[in-house]
Amino acid sequence: MTAVQFRLHVRARTTGEVILTVEDVSLAFGGVKALTEVSFDVRRQEIRAIIGPNGAGKSSMLNVINGVYHPQQGSITFKGIARRDVDSHDAARRGIARTFQNIALFKGMSVLDNIMTGRNLKMRCNFLQHALWIGPARREEIGQRRKVEEIIDFLEIQHIRKTPVGRLPYGLQKRVELARALAAEPELLLLDEPMAGMNVEEKQDMCRFVLDVNDHFGTTIVLIEHDMGVVMDISDRVVVLDYGRKIADGTPDEVRGDQKVIDAYLGVAH
């Protein structure tokens, strides 16, 4: 039994009411159908995985949830409010944050400053006040930096806090991107292949931090991941997409034994 599996074995898995519902979502780019009538839900405080072969529509699904793409059909209900055309800024304001498949950090800025950008929606003072850095703006920035320092400590990146992100190895850049997403204090965190390109040790670290975020902050997590060992170890439930359609949905054990899922990954169903 791995350390991650042992952690899951001994901890109490408590999930709450449905926080996100994806209902009959279809998305097309011209004649290419990325998603076709996809429906599933996410419960509060669970780790929900979306898996499938390359081109299955996984990243498109995350882009629909946080408002980057607007589906032609269906709706997204988050915390009881149903919408089709979710605006990405509004999604962030309502408590949805994400990381990206390709790292999207400011490479010339320090780790601390990159994470500070995740606090933008928490800022109340205007640009001029922050430029002069007096009175309320100074107090606000000090308070926001205190929050960022807590996240830095939580993710164990104190030793690189002043290092420009572009100088960091890939695995640490992924951790900084996670930190920036956490800085927004999201209720729902979308992780797009958080362990892609990592070695075994880096994957183990990231698994631990994903579980810690879920445990410590109570953050609901939806993740895309190609490493099936990781998915089966840390997920509460798994939804499987293939060619933009949902072909399975259930616990890791249920999905693991589903013949449609086996066929999709082996390629014998097409």
Side-chain angles (χ1 to χ4, degrees):
M1 181 179 288
T2 68
V4 170
Q5 288 171 323
F6 178 76
R7 183 186 180 87
L8 285 173
H9 179 70
V10 298
R11 75 177 187 150
R13 299 296 297 141
T14 56
T15 58
E17 75 281 4
V18 172
I19 187 175
L20 176 79
T21 303
V22 176
E23 188 171 8
D24 294 326
V25 164
S26 294
L27 175 71
F29 302 99
V32 179
K33 293 183 178 181
L35 298 167
T36 304
E37 298 178 353
V38 176
S39 298
F40 63 93
D41 62 47
V42 180
R43 296 172 190 154
R44 192 177 291 276
Q45 291 188 285
E46 83 171 328
I47 299 177
R48 185 72 143 122
I50 302 175
I51 67 172
N54 289 331
K58 303 181 297 296
S59 292
S60 293
M61 189 73 256
L62 287 196
N63 284 332
V64 168
I65 292 172
N66 83 316
V68 175
Y69 296 157
H70 297 160
Q72 287 80 30
Q73 175 186 316
S75 64
I76 303 292
T77 302
F78 181 58
K79 294 193 295 186
I81 300 175
R83 297 180 65 178
R84 178 184 296 177
D85 296 335
V86 179
D87 176 80
S88 56
H89 183 270
D90 183 55
R93 210 162 35 82
R94 291 170 59 201
I96 300 176
R98 73 169 294 181
T99 65
F100 295 86
Q101 185 174 348
N102 298 313
I103 295 173
L105 294 170
F106 300 102
K107 298 298 179 70
M109 290 168 52
S110 71
V111 166
L112 176 65
D113 288 339
N114 265 278
I115 301 171
M116 276 292 291
T117 63
R119 300 295 297 176
N120 282 346
L121 289 175
K122 307 293 182 183
M123 300 286 193
R124 295 294 175 263
C125 294
N126 60 39
F127 175 78
L128 180 59
Q129 289 172 309
H130 278 290
L132 295 174
W133 207 60
I134 57 174
R138 176 180 294 184
R139 290 192 295 273
E140 180 178 66
E141 182 167 342
I142 290 171
Q144 302 298 351
R145 282 182 178 270
R146 189 177 299 117
K147 288 286 187 181
V148 167
E149 293 288 358
E150 290 173 3
I151 294 168
I152 287 173
D153 289 343
F154 182 80
L155 293 179
E156 300 174 8
I157 49 177
Q158 305 95 327
H159 61 294
I160 58 167
R161 55 192 296 281
K162 293 184 179 181
T163 304
V165 166
R167 296 182 186 174
L168 297 176
Y170 184 82
L172 281 177
Q173 288 191 34
K174 281 280 193 178
R175 204 184 305 179
V176 173
E177 191 172 38
L178 174 61
R180 184 177 63 182
L182 290 177
E185 299 180 34
E187 291 183 65
L188 176 64
L189 177 60
L190 310 177
L191 303 178
D192 194 345
E193 298 193 29
M195 294 149 210
M198 291 185 176
N199 60 37
V200 173
E201 185 178 350
E202 289 170 336
K203 283 185 180 182
Q204 289 177 343
D205 285 341
M206 185 59 80
C207 281
R208 175 167 60 89
F209 288 123
V210 169
L211 290 169
D212 285 346
V213 167
N214 183 246
D215 282 341
H216 183 77
F217 297 112
T219 308
T220 306
I221 296 172
V222 177
L223 67 88
I224 294 171
E225 182 53 50
H226 282 290
D227 188 319
M228 290 300 100
V230 168
V231 170
M232 297 305 167
D233 277 355
I234 72 174
S235 303
D236 295 298
R237 291 188 296 158
V238 182
V239 59
V240 188
L241 302 180
D242 188 29
Y243 288 91
R245 293 183 179 273
K246 185 177 81 172
I247 61 171
D249 191 354
T251 66
D253 285 341
E254 290 169 343
V255 166
R256 194 197 323 257
D258 191 299
Q259 189 60 46
K260 290 181 181 178
V261 177
I262 296 170
D263 289 348
Y265 274 94
L266 292 177
V268 298
H270 307 288

